[in-house]
Amino acid sequence: MADSVPVRCPTCRRENAFTPPTFPCACGAPLTLPVLRGGVPVEILHRTWQSSWVEVRCEVCGRQDEWPAPESGCACGTVVRVPVAPAPALPPPNFPSPGPPGPRPAPAFPLRTPHGLARPAFRPVTIRTARDCVTAAEQYLKWLGYADVARTQERTASGVDLRGTGVVAQVDPTTHSTALREIECVWLNGLNDSALAVFFSLAGYARDARSRADELRLPLFVMDLTGTPQPVNDPADELIKYGAAGR
């Protein structure tokens, strides 16, 4: 597992620990994105396809590919792009072979439910479209224990994308920070269904939306292009810790 690095939020100046993501290279070796230590993170206000990917060279086979740019979410709701070290130059043609491919990356340590049962590592869904965002959120809620969660037949005016026993969720795949109104709408849907309301956002949350979610104890998650939701408030942390069984 890669070592975490400190990332300072440009909005609230809080320093957060960030673990660079690891991907499997085509050669089979684990490739950890080389986060630039001491680099200045940039707040993501508007997303573009070009800025959402970085070129990284595999140290084992020398292959250079594009990977999702690493992103970190702060508790204040700000989402930043973490700078990556430039790819090193290719070795000369007579450079010795680095040897056979290394082992595939080990899965993340499984979490345990309050009953002591191991929860398998979450398998993310790479995000390339808005539909992928909903798919990733659906798989994440199932991983948390909401086994019957499914997409709604047609997105309602209130914006609920996913429903299951004891849970409703909205997914915001846009490049703008999620607004206060959307938080309150999904919370009301949860209230009407006597269910937990959860929100997933690709671009983070407006400050008033984040504050309101904290007041309502509504779990908030931000999503990066790897498809792994990250908690941004205490209710989200609690949901990850206890899952559906703890609600």
Side-chain angles (χ1 to χ4, degrees):
M1 189 174 181
D3 293 333
S4 62
V5 297
V7 175
R8 187 174 295 280
C9 175
T11 302
C12 69
R13 311 304 298 170
R14 179 179 303 174
E15 194 170 84
N16 301 296
F18 174 73
T19 302
T22 298
F23 303 99
C25 178
C27 73
L31 185 150
T32 300
L33 296 190
V35 170
L36 186 62
R37 288 183 177 272
V40 179
V42 178
E43 182 178 1
I44 300 175
L45 299 176
H46 301 285
R47 291 180 185 273
T48 64
W49 183 260
Q50 184 177 5
S51 65
S52 297
W53 299 86
V54 292
E55 286 191 350
V56 176
R57 192 184 309 283
C58 176
E59 294 181 354
V60 175
C61 68
R63 180 189 179 98
Q64 183 166 314
D65 277 328
E66 288 191 334
W67 301 96
E71 299 175 2
S72 176
C74 180
C76 72
T78 299
V79 180
V80 299
R81 185 168 290 113
V82 183
V84 170
L90 283 171
N94 60 349
F95 193 82
S97 170
R104 291 184 179 274
F109 291 106
L111 299 176
R112 291 186 176 273
T113 68
H115 305 293
L117 301 176
R119 185 186 301 157
F122 175 66
R123 296 180 177 231
V125 178
T126 301
I127 294 175
R128 296 183 183 273
T129 66
R131 186 176 181 83
D132 291 338
C133 288
V134 180
T135 300
E138 178 184 356
Q139 295 303 316
Y140 196 74
L141 287 173
K142 288 180 177 179
W143 178 73
L144 289 172
Y146 297 99
D148 65 347
V149 70
R151 297 172 189 241
T152 54
Q153 290 282 341
E154 184 176 336
R155 199 176 198 228
T156 62
S158 60
V160 171
D161 295 290
L162 300 165
R163 288 184 185 275
T165 302
V167 68
V168 297
Q170 183 173 339
V171 182
D172 183 0
T174 68
T175 58
H176 302 288
S177 298
T178 298
L180 170 64
R181 180 181 180 278
E182 294 182 83
I183 297 297
E184 293 183 332
C185 282
V186 74
W187 176 76
L188 287 172
N189 273 277
L191 196 63
N192 290 336
D193 290 2
S194 298
L196 173 69
V198 184
F199 210 107
F200 298 86
S201 176
L202 191 63
Y205 301 87
R207 190 176 297 275
D208 57 351
R210 164 65 202 279
S211 297
R212 185 62 171 148
D214 288 345
E215 293 172 2
L216 299 173
R217 303 295 298 167
L218 191 151
L220 299 181
F221 293 87
V222 292
M223 308 177 77
D224 59 25
L225 295 179
T226 67
T228 304
Q230 300 291 338
V232 298
N233 63 355
D234 290 343
D237 285 329
E238 292 172 6
L239 181 58
I240 292 174
K241 183 177 180 180
Y242 298 108
R247 303 303 302 182

